[in-house]
């Protein structure tokens, strides 16, 4: 498998939508309106200020991530990212490859740390990945996320110096 993480192009929009819409619709990992239109979902993912990348496996886009400043002003040196992997490509190392790429991108962009503000605690695979890559859990927000099948579940705040 040849995996290349590269900057997204306008031609990747359909593939990105095909990846992120099922995740948004499921409502289990992102605090977004589950009824977002394709246009709204892409506007969120491709928003101004987001550096957007795709994981390209032999010509097929199977993942995407964006990187941005977590906050403005005094918090602008801390990056924040969102990641999504195509449902048919989970367990193939794509999320890990995008995460490692995002660390390099963030460092090159001048960020000194990375913070994930709202990682859903029941997203066990993601939590395991982030902890294995050196993130620390620095906060827990009890019952902060309304999961569609589990009800109120915790959200985690994760932090990593770059």
């Amino acid at each position: 498998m040849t995996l290349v993480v590269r900057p997204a192009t306008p031609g990747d929009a359909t593939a990105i939508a095909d990846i992120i819409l099922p995740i948004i619709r499921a409502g289990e990992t992102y605090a977004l309106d589950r009824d977002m239109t394709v246009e709204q979902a892409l506007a969120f993912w491709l928003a101004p200020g987001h550096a957007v990348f795709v994981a390209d496996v032999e010509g097929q886009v199977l993942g995407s991530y964006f990187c941005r400043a977590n906050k403005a002003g005094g918090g602008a040196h801390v990056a924040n990212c969102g990641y999504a992997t195509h449902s048919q490509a989970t367990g193939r190392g794509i999320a890990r490859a995008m995460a490692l790429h995002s660390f390099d991108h963030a460092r090159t962009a001048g960020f000194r740390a990375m913070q994930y503000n709202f990682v859903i605690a029941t997203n066990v695979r993601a939590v395991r990945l982030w902890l294995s890559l050196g993130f620390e859990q620095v906060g827990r927000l009890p019952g902060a996320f309304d999961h569609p099948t589990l009800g109120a579940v915790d959200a985690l705040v994760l932090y990593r110096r770059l």
Side-chain angles (χ1 to χ4, degrees):
M1 170 175 88
T2 303
L3 184 148
V4 175
V5 180
R6 60 169 175 79
T9 67
D12 294 320
T14 299
I16 292 171
D18 289 345
I19 293 166
I20 65 174
L21 273 175
I23 294 167
I24 292 169
R25 299 270 186 271
E28 297 174 346
T29 58
Y30 276 97
L32 296 170
D33 181 356
R34 293 172 67 187
D35 296 323
M36 290 177 106
T37 64
V38 172
E39 295 78 16
Q40 290 168 325
L42 286 172
F44 165 74
W45 203 261
L46 304 170
H50 288 194
V52 182
F53 297 86
V54 295
D56 185 311
V57 179
E58 299 172 1
Q60 184 177 10
V61 173
L62 295 179
S64 182
Y65 83 87
F66 65 80
C67 185
R68 64 183 178 194
N70 190 46
K71 298 292 178 189
H77 65 284
V78 178
N80 175 264
C81 297
Y83 305 84
T85 302
H86 196 286
S87 62
Q88 296 175 353
T90 57
R92 293 173 49 187
I94 292 168
R96 179 175 292 274
M98 289 190 298
L100 294 172
H101 186 276
S102 72
F103 300 161
D104 290 339
H105 167 76
R107 275 190 215 96
T108 300
F111 293 108
R112 299 191 309 261
M114 194 170 283
Q115 179 175 319
Y116 301 153
N117 305 314
F118 209 80
V119 179
I120 309 310
T122 55
N123 189 354
V124 177
R125 290 179 74 148
V127 172
R128 187 174 352 136
L129 174 62
W130 304 138
L131 295 177
S132 78
L133 291 174
F135 281 85
E136 294 178 59
Q137 179 183 318
V138 296
R140 179 177 284 270
L141 309 171
F145 183 73
D146 190 14
H147 192 282
T149 58
L150 302 174
V153 299
D154 296 353
L156 308 176
V157 180
L158 304 179
Y159 186 84
R160 180 187 194 277
R161 292 192 187 278
L162 294 172

